[in-house]
Amino acid sequence: MNGDTVGIERFRTFLRERSLRITQVRERVALAALQRRGHFDVDEVVAELRRGGVRASRATVYRALPLLEQAGLITATVGRRERQRYERTLDRGHHDHLMCTRCQRLVEFEYEAFEVLQREVAEKYGFKLTGHSHQLFGLCPDCQGRRG
Amino acid sequence: MNGDTVGIERFRTFLRERSLRITQVRERVALAALQRRGHFDVDEVVAELRRGGVRASRATVYRALPLLEQAGLITATVGRRERQRYERTLDRGHHDHLMCTRCQRLVEFEYEAFEVLQREVAEKYGFKLTGHSHQLFGLCPDCQGRRG
DNA sequence: CTTCATGCAAAAGATTTGCAAGTTC
DNA sequence: GAACTTGCAAATCTTTTGCATGAAG
């Protein structure tokens, strides 16, 4: 019983709880998304599905991914104006992102100090911390000095 | 000589440095943007301009705001899939957000330590830092213990 | 069988772009 | 005058939606 299987089971439970249907397509989308490593977008999931011989429309994937997100299996990344991207929640660990605003290059970093400080801030305001989104923007070495 | 005037001067310098033209419309857009307090989007700038009797097309404003951003006068905010919003850089200070996921209550906090660490991370990867988005999610004191 | 999910194509919404006409240097 | 800007409309791009048809419960 690997991680994906657990994920699928969790997704089923999520769907049942909300009286949503457990369909073939939804499960296939879930599998395709969970099989991806690193970041992915809607089209990549569609491509992954096609490779596996599953025909699912983009619209369906657009409808399914937010469910997976609500189920806690994937996390949407917050970007600027590009297409929405996701990543498997389990892969995330505690890393955050450093993104080049020119070429979209994405670097992941992990700094325990941030986690500690965050807990500190939450405590200061009496909040019970459940998550965070932390992204740095800038120009990567290659893009510094370039125009536009 | 108020803040806006300084901003405009800085914008002129920025344009000159890149051999871009200092036009009436660009200056008006800059003024309109700098006059806004809090967050604003393209249409709000267009509206502000109209109120001042300036007719500038949306396209022009779309072309001008990134210049203002590059000049460091305004900062683009990062959201999910809505329209791009900006805020005057000077207004930002260095605050980040702590948001209650149940009642949407928003607390702004400021922790110099985060800024320091962020610069450290950027430097480590050779990035030139231009901005960041840092949000903590959790339950505020009032919402803890309540049902979701 | 009732209700919800899917696919398709069309719609929507935000932003970008080609091009002719107007400005800036 | 040459080069860059602007405005307009059309084009793009991503995401959403209406609707007829097909599955799930």
Side-chain angles (χ1 to χ4, degrees):
Chain A
M1 186 152 170
N2 62 28
D4 290 355
T5 313
V6 174
I8 297 298
E9 201 40 65
R10 189 162 153 191
F11 188 38
R12 287 210 184 99
T13 304
F14 168 86
L15 293 173
R16 256 192 297 270
E17 280 172 351
R18 329 220 151 185
S19 309
L20 297 174
R21 300 208 163 140
I22 298 171
T23 67
Q24 297 252 320
V25 177
R26 276 180 181 156
E27 297 210 337
R28 291 321 204 89
V29 172
L31 266 174
L34 294 178
Q35 275 163 12
R36 302 250 94 201
R37 290 297 171 265
H39 297 89
F40 60 86
D41 61 28
V42 169
D43 282 352
E44 288 180 83
V45 172
V46 172
E48 176 79 42
L49 288 168
R50 281 207 213 299
R51 271 195 293 281
V54 182
R55 203 172 58 248
S57 73
R58 220 187 299 280
T60 297
V61 176
Y62 266 111
R63 287 186 273 230
L65 291 183
L67 295 175
L68 281 167
E69 192 194 0
Q70 286 169 55
L73 298 176
I74 61 176
T75 302
T77 67
V78 180
R80 289 240 179 159
R81 300 264 89 224
E82 339 84 27
R83 41 171 58 184
Q84 179 70 67
R85 290 199 286 176
Y86 296 90
E87 65 184 327
R88 217 171 64 148
T89 304
L90 289 177
D91 284 346
R92 288 207 78 243
H94 283 300
H95 69 256
D96 292 310
H97 298 136
L98 173 55
M99 179 185 283
C100 178
T101 54
R102 184 177 177 285
C103 72
Q104 256 61 261
R105 181 178 152 201
L106 194 63
V107 172
E108 298 182 342
F109 65 89
E110 185 179 337
Y111 246 56
E112 180 58 20
F114 279 120
E115 313 295 324
V116 174
L117 282 174
Q118 286 174 1
R119 285 194 285 274
E120 215 170 277
V121 170
E123 194 173 333
K124 173 173 171 183
Y125 293 99
F127 272 59
K128 182 166 184 295
L129 202 59
T130 57
H132 72 261
S133 160
H134 190 186
Q135 300 175 253
L136 308 188
F137 301 100
L139 289 173
C140 72
D142 293 345
C143 291
Q144 288 172 43
R146 286 190 189 158
R147 306 231 76 192
Chain B
M1 189 149 166
N2 62 30
D4 291 355
T5 313
V6 173
I8 296 298
E9 200 40 64
R10 189 160 152 192
F11 189 37
R12 287 210 184 99
T13 304
F14 169 86
L15 292 173
R16 255 192 298 269
E17 280 172 352
R18 327 220 151 185
S19 308
L20 297 175
R21 303 215 158 137
I22 298 170
T23 66
Q24 296 252 320
V25 176
R26 277 180 180 157
E27 296 211 335
R28 292 321 204 88
V29 171
L31 267 174
L34 294 176
Q35 276 163 10
R36 302 251 91 200
R37 289 298 170 267
H39 298 266
F40 61 87
D41 60 29
V42 169
D43 282 353
E44 289 179 83
V45 172
V46 173
E48 176 79 41
L49 287 168
R50 281 208 211 299
R51 270 195 294 280
V54 182
R55 203 172 57 249
S57 73
R58 219 186 302 279
T60 297
V61 175
Y62 267 110
R63 288 186 271 229
L65 291 184
L67 294 175
L68 282 166
E69 193 193 1
Q70 287 169 55
L73 298 176
I74 61 177
T75 302
T77 68
V78 181
R80 285 244 187 153
R81 304 263 92 225
E82 336 88 26
R83 41 170 59 181
Q84 178 70 68
R85 289 200 290 174
Y86 297 89
E87 63 184 326
R88 217 171 61 149
T89 304
L90 288 178
D91 284 348
R92 284 209 81 242
H94 283 298
H95 68 257
D96 292 311
H97 302 287
L98 173 56
M99 178 184 283
C100 178
T101 52
R102 185 178 176 284
C103 72
Q104 257 59 261
R105 183 178 150 200
L106 194 65
V107 173
E108 294 185 343
F109 66 88
E110 187 179 334
Y111 246 55
E112 181 57 21
F114 280 121
E115 313 297 325
V116 175
L117 283 174
Q118 287 174 1
R119 284 194 285 273
E120 215 169 275
V121 171
E123 194 174 331
K124 173 172 171 184
Y125 293 99
F127 273 59
K128 182 166 184 294
L129 203 59
T130 57
H132 71 261
S133 161
H134 191 186
Q135 294 168 265
L136 308 187
F137 303 102
L139 289 172
C140 72
D142 295 345
C143 290
Q144 286 172 41
R146 288 187 187 162
R147 301 233 70 195

